[in-house]
Amino acid sequence: MDRRQFAAISAGLVAGAHAWGQSESKSFPVAVIGHTGRGDYGHGLDTVWNRIPGASIVAIADANPTGRRKELQKLGLGDAAGYADYREMLAKTTPWIVAVCPRHVDQHRDMILAAIESGAKGIYVEKPFVRTPREADQVLAACAEHGVKVAVAHRNRYHPVINVIADLIEENRIGRVLEIRGRGKGDRRGGGEDLWVLGSHVLNMITVLAGKPQSCSAMLMQDGRPATQQDVREGAEGLGPLAGNELHARFLFDRGLTVYFDSVANDGTANHGFGLQIIGSEGTIAIQADRNPLAYLIPGNPFKRRDAGSRWLPITSGGVDVAEPNPELIHRVQHHDVAATDLVQAIRENREPLCSAAEAALTVEMICGVFESHRQGGAAVQFPLSQRDHPLA
């Protein structure tokens, strides 16, 4: 999706925000797939559908009987709406939309493909999207064959401030953009796990602002030395092979922009580095992922000494240093309502969601590009990757 398409859809969501919860919509069935003990129900991907006009949750699937009972109670459904096998649920209920909720990414491809084959028109899936470029290829091919829309829960992608930031860059409010620097949370998961779990959010936002990556060069470190095959381990939450508790990656984008991503375990920043900085010759835009406000403008040459009183100016959906005019919209972004609404509209308008399967596949490609470059001794690898399976497998 190009910049103009993104801007038009984003503006439409903002303009229509006042009508959410009030408009009459044709009803449609939603089925929820979770897995208690193996990713559960993600970050609210189940309950959001109770707030979407027209949506009616008709069934849930969970292989864990105790978790299944609790989920039925939470969603206000009777026992007959619960299934141990998601394939049986899909066959018997034929939902219009399927929510693929577990955080464990090793289940995503099979659940998505099963939902597509069942006849669902739309799927909302927890991030990370899938484990490898090959899995992404399979999902994209199935979507194309069956005309299905898949949206991925990178919530910040739907934030109206992202569009405001893109306008600020286009208007040269920070001068010439010199580089973009992203970081994960830098907690105990620093390195490969942080890249997948939190870095996927950051990389996904970067592609909105910088375009498509052309190449990646990266190194994984383990306790201060280059990670080796002996350091490869199975990652948590079904992430697949991981290595390193520190990583440094450099991406070259198609607009000639250089982007960096770094993650160091227990880096001491108390998670405040999570997000990205767009560094320009006349100012910096700092995006602090999942926080409110989402972003700040820091005016002035970033390499020139500044007065002690220089301010970070909040960026809201109303502009720079303006109080947020629509706090309800921001709340709905943070709780998936905007993403779910966009998916419904994308199906009805026959367009791609703002964070589509193709957009999320690009994020997966960037993550696996880090591993592939390290495997090649830090060499620059080109996108799309020729290695479609996991480089560390």
Side-chain angles (χ1 to χ4, degrees):
M1 182 178 297
D2 66 26
R3 166 84 172 87
R4 287 186 177 84
Q5 289 174 302
F6 176 85
I9 294 168
S10 180
L13 288 170
V14 173
H18 69 280
W20 293 344
Q22 303 171 13
S23 61
E24 293 295 326
S25 300
K26 184 179 179 181
S27 62
F28 54 90
V30 176
V32 172
I33 302 175
H35 196 159
T36 302
R38 290 210 64 235
D40 300 322
Y41 289 81
H43 297 87
L45 272 70
D46 52 349
T47 53
V48 63
W49 298 102
N50 280 333
R51 300 189 297 272
I52 303 303
S56 175
I57 301 175
V58 295
I60 68 108
D62 189 332
N64 182 302
T66 302
R68 185 166 65 250
R69 284 192 295 271
K70 289 181 179 178
E71 182 69 9
L72 288 168
Q73 292 172 0
K74 181 170 73 171
L75 297 179
L77 299 173
D79 290 345
Y83 293 81
D85 187 328
Y86 65 83
R87 292 180 176 83
E88 180 186 3
M89 176 192 71
L90 294 170
K92 290 185 176 179
T93 61
T94 59
W96 200 64
I97 286 179
V98 177
V100 175
C101 303
R103 295 188 315 277
H104 284 218
V105 69
D106 59 332
Q107 304 172 93
H108 287 181
R109 178 197 56 183
D110 291 348
M111 290 175 173
I112 294 169
L113 292 179
I116 292 172
E117 291 163 5
S118 76
K121 298 300 182 184
I123 299 161
Y124 190 46
V125 58
E126 181 62 285
K127 59 80 199 168
F129 176 35
V130 290
R131 294 174 295 180
T132 66
R134 188 177 303 282
E135 289 188 348
D137 293 342
Q138 293 166 345
V139 170
L140 290 172
C143 286
E145 180 181 352
H146 296 275
V148 178
K149 311 301 181 185
V150 172
V152 182
H154 288 294
R155 293 175 298 176
N156 293 310
R157 185 65 172 263
Y158 296 87
H159 203 296
V161 166
I162 295 295
N163 205 40
V164 175
I165 291 169
D167 288 340
L168 292 172
I169 294 170
E170 201 167 281
E171 294 163 5
N172 294 316
R173 283 290 298 273
I174 59 171
R176 178 180 177 181
V177 176
L178 304 176
E179 62 186 51
I180 296 179
R181 290 191 168 272
R183 300 192 74 87
K185 280 195 173 180
D187 55 17
R188 61 174 179 77
R189 298 168 292 184
E193 185 174 352
D194 196 17
L195 173 67
W196 268 116
V197 180
L198 287 316
S200 61
H201 282 307
V202 176
L203 297 178
N204 191 268
M205 283 190 286
I206 287 171
T207 57
V208 180
L209 302 167
K212 290 187 176 181
Q214 298 300 301
S215 65
C216 171
S217 55
M219 289 296 292
L220 304 173
M221 310 293 288
Q222 181 66 44
D223 301 329
R225 57 171 174 77
T228 68
Q229 185 64 37
Q230 285 66 44
D231 297 309
V232 176
R233 66 190 188 281
E234 193 63 26
E237 299 190 352
L239 292 171
L242 290 179
N245 53 14
E246 177 179 347
L247 70 83
H248 304 280
R250 176 182 181 273
F251 298 91
L252 182 63
F253 273 71
D254 58 3
R255 300 174 192 169
L257 189 61
T258 301
V259 172
Y260 300 90
F261 181 87
D262 300 277
S263 175
V264 179
N266 303 311
D267 66 6
T269 63
N271 298 344
H272 288 289
F274 177 37
L276 60 104
Q277 290 192 327
I278 307 162
I279 302 170
S281 58
E282 299 175 19
T284 300
I285 294 173
I287 300 178
Q288 299 188 313
D290 293 340
R291 295 178 184 261
N292 192 18
L294 179 70
Y296 293 85
L297 173 64
I298 310 160
N301 184 333
F303 304 105
K304 183 179 179 181
R305 184 176 62 83
R306 307 181 198 182
D307 295 334
S310 62
R311 290 182 59 206
W312 282 40
L313 306 176
I315 304 173
T316 70
S317 66
V320 177
D321 207 18
V322 176
E324 176 54 57
N326 198 339
E328 180 190 2
L329 172 62
I330 305 307
H331 178 83
R332 288 180 175 275
V333 168
Q334 294 170 337
H335 291 82
H336 301 281
D337 298 54
V338 172
T341 299
D342 177 59
L343 175 59
V344 174
Q345 292 181 0
I347 297 167
R348 290 175 172 160
E349 296 169 8
N350 192 28
R351 62 165 173 82
E352 289 302 309
L354 274 180
C355 189
S356 66
E359 301 285 351
L362 187 58
T363 302
V364 172
E365 192 107 2
M366 291 175 71
I367 291 170
C368 287
V370 171
F371 298 126
E372 176 64 9
S373 174
H374 176 78
R375 191 183 70 82
Q376 295 188 28
V381 296
Q382 305 297 311
F383 295 115
L385 297 173
S386 58
Q387 168 62 271
R388 307 306 287 169
D389 295 311
H390 199 296
L392 300 183

